[in-house]
Amino acid sequence: MDANPLSHDLTNHLAAIVRASNAAITSVTMDRRIQSWNAGATDIFGFSSEEALGSDLMMIVPADRMEEALEDYERVKRGEIFTVETLRRHRSGRLIEVAMSLAPIRDAAGQIVGTCAVTHDITARKAVVRQLQEEATVRHRAEEARRASERDFRTFFEMVDVGNVIADAQTYRFQRVNRRFCEITGYTAEELRELTSYSLTDPADVERDRSGWEETIERGATNFTIEKRYRRKDGSTIWVSVTSTLVRDAQGEPLHAIGVIRDVTDRRQAVEAAEKARLELEDRVLERTTALAAATTAASESALRFKTLIENSPLPIISLDLQARVQLWNAAAERLFGWSQAEVLGTELPNLPTGSRDHFATELRAVVASAERQNWQTIRQCRDGSLLKVEIWRAPMFNARHEVFASLAIVMDVTERKFLERALLEATERESRRIGQELHDHLCQHLLGAAFSTKAIATGLPADSETATELDALARLINSAVQQARDIARGLNPVEMEAAGLMAALQELTERPHAGFTCRLECEQPVLLPDAEAALHAYRIAQEAISNAVRHSRGTEIVVRLTEDAQNVYLQIADNGVGLKSPPAAPRGLGLEIMKYRTHAIAGRIWFDTTNGGGTSVVCALPKRR
């Protein structure tokens, strides 16, 4: 009879569990020979117990997992108990994904004499996990694509130099506005979201605006363009051009009204002749966007907004990759430059001027990789060979890792505007020179004659008479008026045509009295500027900067510096006043705008900054050759 019946029953019970288990339960001796092999092991690995017992454990280990299996066996020999997920080989040769729990077998003395392994086939479970992971990856990629599309829309919506709005199609209340629209109206974005388009519209234009929009909708159209007046927050009135597009949902119900707004006040006041061309352009844009809206009704809301804004734009919109290849070329770009979208997509930008293509290509390569927004004026060539002066607003486009992968740019043809501005400025300079000449040749001579006559009369009177004293004082006043008239004449016609004329004119300018300011010219070496037109513009810039400093800086000193290098002449006007709160990247004052225009007119660069001492510095770089 067994001395320990409980131990015998437990052993029998465990043996029954091993036989009934669907897991592979095996034991291995210290020399890796299989000692036990249950039915679960046969089901999982395909070997019968007769085939397995006494065989080397490595018969079920794939060749590339041998080293791993030996390391696991060594861990058990050190007394470790652990679980691993790995691959094992079926009798047929196919690989099985398994989870194995390994533990040492000890004898009565506690010595490790073998290894016990409980193995589960997890192939199906792993397949399910992989399927779930793949589905999650697909969902993640779709979400990333949606976010990228939304980022692209936000980039375009905010970076353009026209006002963009999205309004409710029923109430016309603003739902979303961009930075430029806030600048145009003078309101903050939060204030605008409490208003409608009709709240901003001048009362005299409300009925025309409302009836025009309603008539457009009744005709089944989706686009409406109008020029009307806005009342800004400060009470001033401006003219704006508004192109509105109605976006419908899949059932045809009105969803949003998208508006593109441009401030056209200056154009209406200064270039009435451009009105007809603008209307013709907007008609063509209207035709294009109508066709586009019909073709894209099934697109997602974000993609539809982005595409509608692109095609709605009356200005060319172009996107380039980092190799300056065209990725986007809208209808306005086709009309302005002459190349169709099909011709340019995927090719290098075609509208760089042929005669200086290397120069402009170098400029372009530096721009497309930049992470900063940029605005500059340059030259572009049309398909027919004609050259245009254009102004470009460019912004980088970022991927999910915040890396620049493309550029989006808006282009405006400023050829006619530049011609008119230049003609106006030249006419002003001619009139200034004429007036200066008249003052010098006529008024000064008349005043001198009056002074001489007064002095002659005073000489004929007794020296101690009151009348003689008064006549002497009057002669001095007339002579002072002559000097002031000559100063004014020199200010109106300051720069002689020779190369050194700018230095002499600036010296004379700084020597004049300036309302409590000390003003001096610093020019260590003679600086010659042979271009008389450039010299005159430089003088006017210095004159305007000094005037601004006297009026606004609240300082005591103004320094004008004139230097040069191999390519440029540099003119700096610095004061010791209160300085700028922030550099005016886009100055709005008339004087600052004129300084900016004069610089661009002679292909120069101008920037505004706060000096180390806290005052304001205006720096102008003028090319020696244009």
Side-chain angles (χ1 to χ4, degrees), residues 2 4-20:
D2 195 329
N4 191 347
L6 180 59
S7 175
H8 177 75
D9 290 344
L10 181 59
T11 300
N12 290 337
H13 185 60
L14 290 174
I17 290 174
V18 168
R19 288 192 298 273

Side-chain angles (χ1 to χ4, degrees), residues 25-139:
I25 302 176
T26 59
S27 61
V28 182
T29 63
M30 294 297 290
D31 58 356
R32 300 198 309 270
R33 295 294 171 181
I34 298 173
Q35 189 176 33
S36 64
W37 186 268
N38 73 339
T42 298
D43 292 340
I44 291 175
F45 299 112
F47 293 97
S48 65
S49 59
E50 291 78 7
E51 293 174 307
L53 291 175
S55 298
D56 192 330
L57 174 68
M58 294 303 172
M59 74 176 185
I60 62 171
V61 179
D64 61 345
R65 297 298 175 107
M66 288 290 186
E67 185 175 349
E68 174 191 286
L70 291 174
E71 290 178 358
D72 291 342
Y73 189 69
E74 290 299 320
R75 290 177 63 187
V76 174
K77 289 169 66 176
R78 292 196 297 269
E80 294 185 37
I81 299 174
F82 58 93
T83 299
V84 295
E85 290 188 2
T86 185
L87 293 176
R88 288 295 180 259
R89 188 175 66 84
H90 189 268
R91 190 176 188 276
S92 64
R94 65 183 173 86
L95 297 179
I96 310 165
E97 294 184 85
V98 298
M100 300 180 62
S101 297
L102 302 173
I105 300 174
R106 300 178 184 271
D107 60 13
Q111 296 296 315
I112 297 174
V113 296
T115 302
C116 179
V118 179
T119 306
H120 294 273
D121 183 351
I122 61 173
T123 304
R125 189 187 77 190
K126 282 287 189 178
V128 171
V129 169
R130 282 192 292 271
Q131 177 65 27
L132 292 174
Q133 290 174 337
E134 289 174 1
E135 291 175 357
T137 300
V138 170
R139 289 194 299 271

Side-chain angles (χ1 to χ4, degrees), residues 300-613:
S300 67
E301 184 177 335
S302 293
L304 182 58
R305 288 176 183 172
F306 182 71
K307 194 170 184 179
T308 301
L309 285 171
I310 290 285
E311 294 301 335
N312 244 330
S313 174
L315 301 177
I317 298 176
I318 300 169
S319 178
L320 304 177
D321 64 15
L322 297 184
Q323 286 72 46
R325 294 186 296 246
V326 178
Q327 304 297 305
L328 173 65
W329 185 269
N330 75 341
E334 291 181 346
R335 291 190 291 272
L336 182 61
F337 296 113
W339 286 278
S340 69
Q341 185 183 75
E343 291 176 299
V344 301
L345 287 182
T347 68
E348 292 185 358
L349 192 66
N351 60 354
L352 300 182
T354 305
S356 308
R357 188 172 184 85
D358 290 344
H359 166 75
F360 285 99
T362 301
E363 173 189 77
L364 191 62
R365 282 192 294 271
V367 167
V368 295
S370 173
E372 302 295 328
R373 296 182 181 181
Q374 290 143 322
N375 169 224
W376 77 100
Q377 293 183 0
T378 187
I379 304 295
R380 290 293 181 260
Q381 182 171 303
C382 296
R383 186 170 189 167
D384 62 8
S386 59
L387 297 178
L388 298 177
K389 292 184 179 179
V390 298
E391 187 162 4
I392 299 175
W393 293 268
R394 174 265 177 193
M397 300 179 69
F398 298 96
N399 59 21
R401 296 184 297 278
H402 204 68
E403 299 168 336
V404 177
F405 72 92
S407 289
L408 192 66
I410 296 176
V411 182
M412 178 182 288
D413 178 7
V414 296
T415 306
E416 182 177 0
R417 189 189 81 191
K418 289 297 179 185
F419 173 78
L420 293 174
E421 289 175 347
R422 190 181 186 90
L424 179 60
L425 202 57
E426 289 175 353
T428 302
E429 291 295 348
R430 286 196 299 272
E431 186 64 13
S432 294
R433 287 194 291 272
R434 186 190 67 78
I435 294 172
Q437 196 67 38
E438 290 288 333
L439 286 173
H440 184 273
D441 294 345
H442 298 287
L443 180 60
C444 287
Q445 302 308 318
H446 284 300
L447 288 173
L448 282 172
F452 288 143
S453 297
T454 303
K455 189 66 175 178
I457 295 170
T459 303
L461 296 174
D464 57 350
S465 71
E466 183 177 348
T467 302
T469 302
E470 291 176 351
L471 288 173
D472 281 337
L474 179 58
R476 286 193 297 273
L477 286 174
I478 294 174
N479 285 327
S480 176
V482 170
Q483 185 60 44
Q484 291 179 21
R486 285 175 173 167
D487 290 343
I488 293 171
R490 282 196 296 271
L492 291 171
N493 191 14
V495 182
E496 299 296 333
M497 298 302 290
E498 65 270 11
L502 178 59
M503 288 189 298
L506 290 176
Q507 183 66 51
E508 187 277 330
L509 176 63
T510 57
E511 289 175 353
R512 294 183 202 168
H514 293 286
F517 279 75
T518 60
C519 188
R520 71 177 187 275
L521 173 66
E522 292 184 357
C523 183
E524 297 180 358
Q525 300 286 339
V527 177
L528 305 181
L529 188 60
D531 189 330
E533 180 187 2
L536 180 57
H537 281 302
Y539 177 84
R540 295 296 187 206
I541 291 169
Q543 196 175 39
E544 184 64 36
I546 290 173
S547 177
N548 282 347
V550 170
R551 290 197 304 269
H552 305 300
S553 72
R554 300 204 296 273
T556 59
E557 183 181 47
I558 301 170
V559 179
V560 179
R561 296 183 180 90
L562 196 61
T563 58
E564 65 177 340
D565 60 21
Q567 288 79 35
N568 298 299
V569 169
Y570 297 94
L571 173 65
Q572 181 187 23
I573 303 91
D575 63 62
N576 64 345
V578 295
L580 299 169
K581 292 183 179 178
S582 61
R588 302 303 300 170
L590 182 59
L592 297 180
E593 287 289 355
I594 290 175
M595 282 193 283
K596 186 178 179 183
Y597 171 74
R598 286 185 181 276
T599 306
H600 290 163
I602 52 179
R605 294 177 292 114
I606 190 169
W607 59 94
F608 307 82
D609 203 352
T610 297
T611 64
N612 293 334

